Amino acid sequence: MPVKEFKLPDVGEGVAEGELVSWLVAPGDRVEEDQPVAEVETDKALVEVPSRYDGTVEELFVEEGDIVPVGDVIISFRVGEGDEGGEATAESDADTTETEGDATEPVVDTGTGADADPDTDAREPATPSGRTFAPPSARRLARELGVDIAAVDGSGPGGRIGEADVRAHAEGGAGDADATDSGSDEAPAPTPTDVGSGGRTSAVKKRGGDGTAEGSATTAVASDAPEPAGRETTLATPATRKVARELGVDVDDVPTDETRDGEAFVTGEDVRAYAEALESGESPEAEASEATVEGSAPEPEPVDASPTPPDSTDETVPYRGVRRTIGKQMERSKFTAPHVTHHDTAEVDALVEAREELKPRAEEEGVTLTYMPFVMKAIVAGLKEYPSLNSELREDDEEIVLKGDYNLGIAVATDAGLMVPVVEDVDEKGLFELAEEVSDLASRARERKLKPAEMKGGTFSITNFGAIGGEYATPIINYPETAILGLGAVEERPVVRDGEVVAAPTLPLSLSIDHRVIDGAVAAEFANSVMEHLEHPLLLLTQ
């Protein structure tokens, strides 16, 4: 059965890479075409990546948390498992299979034909789960070495067993037997699990002409600098290879304890530890080698390649994905558009009363009515009167584009950072329709289910920091827009009426503008228009 590799597709316009947040499948799982197999976070949203094949997951090539460029292989599938094949041989690609009925006695395909001699058909016992994940080459090697494949601990994703795992298991058993027979007090010869950096497995090996792994790990010799591993093939994630390039290290020279299907697998920590050892001139495997030569297996020591001191309480958080995009966007806006912020306060007694009157009707229609739809309609009224706030400055063309659409972005705080879904054509929608759409977009933003297209095309933005607490702020414009309105909390505050100080519900407003396009006087007039429509909500019926 053929194995199909699946590359990370373009999951959004202009997206060059993404962080693999989580795998939704594991090796051995059956998948169908269009079934989601992974969640990938881009600089715009969290998206699910669907499979393009019907088949079984063969291998995962990327770890959760890795940054993967678009076009890199992330997973492989074994397809065509339902096809009727010819007589199986020891060289077939058949993998572990299960019978449909009896889950307590699964039948494990050993790779021999149906007409094979029963005496030569060494059936492998199954794992407790009924499955043993191993490629045909590892199973064939296990039969040759007399190893029970079900007893081997796999080091690959999902416990997948590779050739190196089989050899390590076989050599470990042989070493114990030799030591017992000889009666020697000396420790058995080191196996691949005995040597390496800090007592870890060494995966140094080369492939012969037939594709099988040859040779075994050897003890490193202490020297002034670590000896390069000198492998011909090394598996590593794109993020690890990037670290290696930055540190000037060849991943084929980095000692490692991990393997994936018989190939050495190098992590970012391995690369950093090797680079530090090169700088200090000390071999990372010298201590393990000396202990082995003296005849006692070294105790595994935890390896901490973190640059942070062990007693530090600092925590390092990756600056990437949505958080990095927010940072770049804010930096671009703040250092491109000269910001000016205008503050004012609307007295919203009538607005509070209007909302209270409409809430029962909204609930009958299954809608939660907030103040946001009223504010959106008031903003559109102001934008129609002062179109320069619904604009974009195109510096290269030396022109200001006054937008004919009224698409308002609503800033939503999420665990991943601030997202701004866009409500299109606000001028053509009613209060209840706007309330329902805002609620839906905000909910999907927090669940990371927004599509990239739903965060594009805004002409003016709103940020409601009053929902968390506070009255005034200096919002940063959602560039290339030219204005953004910040809302404080609707609360009773002291106001002066007829010469007396009374408590009344008020709404603080903070309007930031791009001063290259909008004058301060125009900003104040726009704010006055918005406040007028909020203080007299019947005016919204004219919009």
Side-chain angles (χ1 to χ4, degrees):
M1 291 172 289
V3 174
K4 298 289 187 179
E5 292 183 338
F6 178 63
K7 300 176 181 178
L8 178 66
D10 185 356
V11 293
E13 181 180 350
V15 174
E17 63 181 14
E19 177 184 352
L20 199 145
V21 176
S22 64
W23 282 111
L24 305 179
V25 295
D29 287 353
R30 285 284 302 170
V31 297
E32 298 178 354
E33 186 176 359
D34 293 330
Q35 175 183 335
V37 297
E39 289 182 318
V40 175
E41 180 183 78
T42 70
D43 57 0
K44 302 181 185 300
L46 183 74
V47 296
E48 291 183 340
V49 178
S51 169
R52 293 171 55 186
Y53 305 103
D54 289 331
T56 302
V57 177
E58 175 72 7
E59 184 173 0
L60 308 179
F61 294 96
V62 180
E63 294 183 353
E64 293 180 354
D66 286 345
I67 301 296
V68 187
V70 170
D72 274 19
V73 175
I74 61 173
I75 189 174
S76 63
F77 302 94
R78 188 171 294 278
V79 300
E81 289 192 337
D83 299 338
E84 293 293 334
E87 181 177 330
T89 66
E91 300 295 328
S92 72
D93 290 332
D95 207 339
T96 303
T97 59
E98 292 183 283
T99 57
E100 291 289 337
D102 190 357
T104 61
E105 296 181 3
V107 178
V108 182
D109 188 354
T110 62
T112 57
D115 298 329
D117 186 346
D119 294 337
T120 62
D121 184 9
R123 181 167 296 180
E124 302 159 355
T127 60
S129 64
R131 282 189 152 178
T132 300
F133 299 124
S137 58
R139 296 178 180 279
R140 185 169 57 251
L141 180 61
R143 289 193 296 272
E144 293 173 355
L145 298 178
V147 170
D148 179 358
I149 193 71
V152 178
D153 293 329
S155 61
R160 186 174 179 82
I161 299 170
E163 293 181 36
D165 299 321
V166 175
R167 290 185 181 277
H169 185 86
E171 294 179 14
D176 293 340
D178 292 342
T180 303
D181 294 341
S182 63
S184 173
D185 293 333
E186 296 183 0
T191 68
T193 57
D194 293 329
V195 297
S197 179
R200 300 175 297 172
T201 305
S202 173
V204 180
K205 55 185 166 298
K206 295 185 178 180
R207 287 191 168 273
D210 59 353
T212 58
E214 293 182 354
S216 59
T218 58
T219 57
V221 179
S223 61
D224 292 338
E227 293 187 3
R231 291 181 296 272
E232 294 180 356
T233 304
T234 302
L235 301 180
T237 65
T240 298
R241 294 185 184 277
K242 180 180 179 182
V243 171
R245 288 194 299 270
E246 293 173 350
L247 298 178
V249 171
D250 186 343
V251 293
D252 291 332
D253 291 339
V254 179
T256 181
D257 63 332
E258 295 189 33
T259 59
R260 297 287 172 87
D261 285 345
E263 296 289 356
F265 182 82
V266 171
T267 66
E269 291 186 357
D270 295 329
V271 172
R272 295 187 184 93
Y274 181 67
E276 292 176 1
L278 287 175
E279 292 179 0
S280 63
E282 297 178 358
S283 171
E285 297 190 359
E287 182 178 350
S289 302
E290 292 171 359
T292 303
V293 171
E294 292 172 1
S296 60
E299 291 292 332
E301 294 291 339
V303 177
D304 183 8
S306 172
T308 305
D311 57 348
S312 174
T313 58
D314 294 346
E315 179 182 0
T316 301
V317 179
Y319 181 61
R320 60 194 184 202
V322 175
R323 172 51 55 193
R324 182 178 61 181
T325 302
I326 293 172
K328 289 184 177 180
Q329 179 73 354
M330 295 298 101
E331 179 183 18
R332 180 187 181 192
S333 177
K334 192 65 176 178
F335 290 100
T336 301
H339 283 55
V340 171
T341 303
H342 174 86
H343 300 287
D344 215 327
T345 303
E347 299 178 17
V348 291
D349 308 63
L351 175 62
V352 172
E353 292 177 2
R355 174 174 173 261
E356 288 301 319
E357 290 182 11
L358 291 174
K359 279 176 66 176
R361 177 66 180 274
E363 291 173 357
E364 290 177 3
E365 299 188 17
V367 176
T368 300
L369 185 61
T370 65
Y371 291 111
M372 182 61 73
F374 296 93
V375 174
M376 296 170 72
K377 298 296 284 187
I379 288 173
V380 169
L383 294 177
K384 288 182 176 180
E385 192 172 353
Y386 301 97
S388 61
L389 282 86
N390 197 52
S391 65
E392 176 185 343
L393 174 60
R394 295 178 179 173
E395 299 175 75
D396 294 340
D397 299 328
E398 296 185 339
E399 62 184 18
I400 299 173
V401 180
L402 304 180
K403 299 298 183 70
D405 297 324
Y406 299 95
N407 304 331
L408 304 189
I410 311 298
V412 179
T414 73
D415 292 339
L418 198 66
M419 295 188 179
V420 188
V422 175
V423 180
E424 298 181 345
D425 304 320
V426 174
D427 56 321
E428 300 177 2
K429 298 174 179 176
L431 292 174
F432 291 180
E433 187 177 0
L434 290 174
E436 186 175 16
E437 188 169 348
V438 168
S439 176
D440 173 64
L441 288 172
S443 176
R444 288 193 290 116
R446 296 186 184 99
E447 295 173 359
R448 311 295 301 284
K449 293 182 179 180
L450 284 177
K451 300 177 182 178
E454 293 177 309
M455 293 185 284
K456 296 180 180 179
T459 62
F460 186 100
S461 292
I462 308 170
T463 178
N464 183 18
F465 45 79
I468 301 174
E471 296 185 38
Y472 300 97
T474 54
I476 296 179
I477 298 166
N478 190 14
Y479 190 84
E481 298 169 13
T482 55
I484 182 173
L485 182 65
L487 308 177
V490 176
E491 294 178 351
E492 285 195 344
R493 297 180 177 87
V495 298
V496 178
R497 291 178 177 173
D498 298 328
E500 295 183 0
V501 177
V502 298
T506 61
L507 173 59
L509 303 175
S510 300
L511 175 68
S512 291
I513 59 170
D514 184 342
H515 214 343
R516 299 174 302 173
V517 179
I518 304 164
D519 294 331
V522 175
E525 291 170 350
F526 168 81
N528 289 338
S529 175
V530 172
M531 289 192 298
E532 182 182 10
H533 284 81
L534 292 176
E535 293 174 352
H536 303 89
L538 288 178
L539 291 176
L540 298 176
L541 299 177
T542 64
Q543 301 302 316

